[in-house]
Amino acid sequence: MLTSHRAGELIACLLQRGIPATYDSDEQLVVATPPGAPDTRPPGGEHIVFVHIGTHLKGEAPDFVQGLVATAWGSDGPPDFAQITTVYRGTSHAYFSADAERCAQAVAEWFTVPRQTNGDVLLTALNAYGITGEPCYDTYAIPLEPNARPGTAGDGPHLWVCGPDGFLDRVPTAHDGWVVGVSDHGGKPDGGYLYRSDGSAGCTAESEAAAAVIANYLNAPGLRLTTA
């Protein structure tokens, strides 16, 4: 759970980004609301709950903790709320001050209208090469057949890209990597990954790197034959 001292540090990071937040001492968590919301616990709409999921690790410095988790919740009929998604999950080995900054930035991005996602950043990187990624379940599919009809990219041989856990709707700060692979004529994975990242380089850099790998594959003569 989140102590009042840690909560104060996190709230300060949120306030710097214009995000109202309060500490619930009974539940030992922080509740953040969209800028302009009339109340820190609105009867409807979204709010964010932060839960500190770790304790000090044995043998480590006092500031070494197991990370923050921010989850988005929406109204499920007053006074109930239903969880929407996990907005941010801290690393298992992160100093609290750095974790709080990243968590607050992810929440600020979540509350931004219109909200940008890691998938949006990836599509922009692909568009720079004239490549269109077509939504296909939890991936973006790029057909390898030049005459593939719109909406059928995932049915035949194609490249695919997704997050390690299949998420395309994370805010950029919460991006945790890309995986790029090839699928055959039956739409089944064919071979290993062409590219894989873990989010450590940032959403923009990894999206550009994934797009470059995809562009190089599409422009390399003969490689498409591996999907036949």
Side-chain angles (χ1 to χ4, degrees):
M1 292 297 169
L2 198 60
T3 65
S4 60
H5 174 73
R6 296 296 190 194
E9 189 172 346
L10 175 58
I11 289 172
C13 293
L14 289 162
L15 292 177
Q16 288 175 356
R17 293 163 173 82
I19 306 298
T22 57
Y23 179 57
D24 186 325
S25 58
D26 292 333
E27 299 292 337
Q28 292 186 302
L29 50 81
V30 167
V31 179
T33 54
D39 193 289
T40 55
R41 285 187 178 277
E46 295 177 359
H47 68 285
I48 295 284
V49 175
F50 301 92
V51 181
H52 185 264
I53 61 170
T55 57
H56 294 157
L57 300 179
K58 186 176 181 180
E60 300 290 355
D63 282 344
F64 216 72
V65 297
Q66 284 187 295
L68 290 167
V69 172
T71 53
W73 297 69
S75 177
D76 192 29
D80 297 325
F81 285 89
Q83 184 171 336
I84 300 171
T85 189
T86 298
V87 174
Y88 175 83
R89 183 178 296 276
T91 60
S92 59
H93 296 283
Y95 283 96
F96 185 84
S97 57
D99 201 22
E101 288 284 352
R102 283 178 53 82
C103 186
Q105 181 59 35
V107 172
E109 292 172 356
W110 176 262
F111 282 142
T112 298
V113 179
R115 182 184 303 142
Q116 185 184 45
T117 67
N118 58 342
D120 296 329
V121 177
L122 175 66
L123 291 178
T124 297
L126 289 170
N127 288 340
Y129 291 95
I131 300 170
T132 300
E134 184 175 291
C136 181
Y137 299 103
D138 56 358
T139 73
Y140 285 121
I142 299 95
L144 294 176
E145 294 178 329
N147 298 320
R149 292 179 290 106
T152 65
D155 297 337
H158 64 278
L159 298 179
W160 52 264
V161 55
C162 67
D165 296 321
F167 292 103
L168 297 168
D169 59 354
R170 295 188 185 278
V171 293
T173 295
H175 168 72
D176 59 355
W178 291 124
V179 179
V180 178
V182 186
S183 287
D184 60 19
H185 277 80
K188 297 180 179 180
D190 180 19
Y193 300 134
L194 300 179
Y195 173 81
R196 186 165 191 169
S197 64
D198 61 6
S200 59
C203 185
T204 298
E206 293 186 359
S207 296
E208 291 174 348
V213 168
I214 291 170
N216 288 339
Y217 188 96
L218 294 176
N219 291 324
L223 285 182
R224 298 188 193 191
L225 297 179
T226 62
T227 66

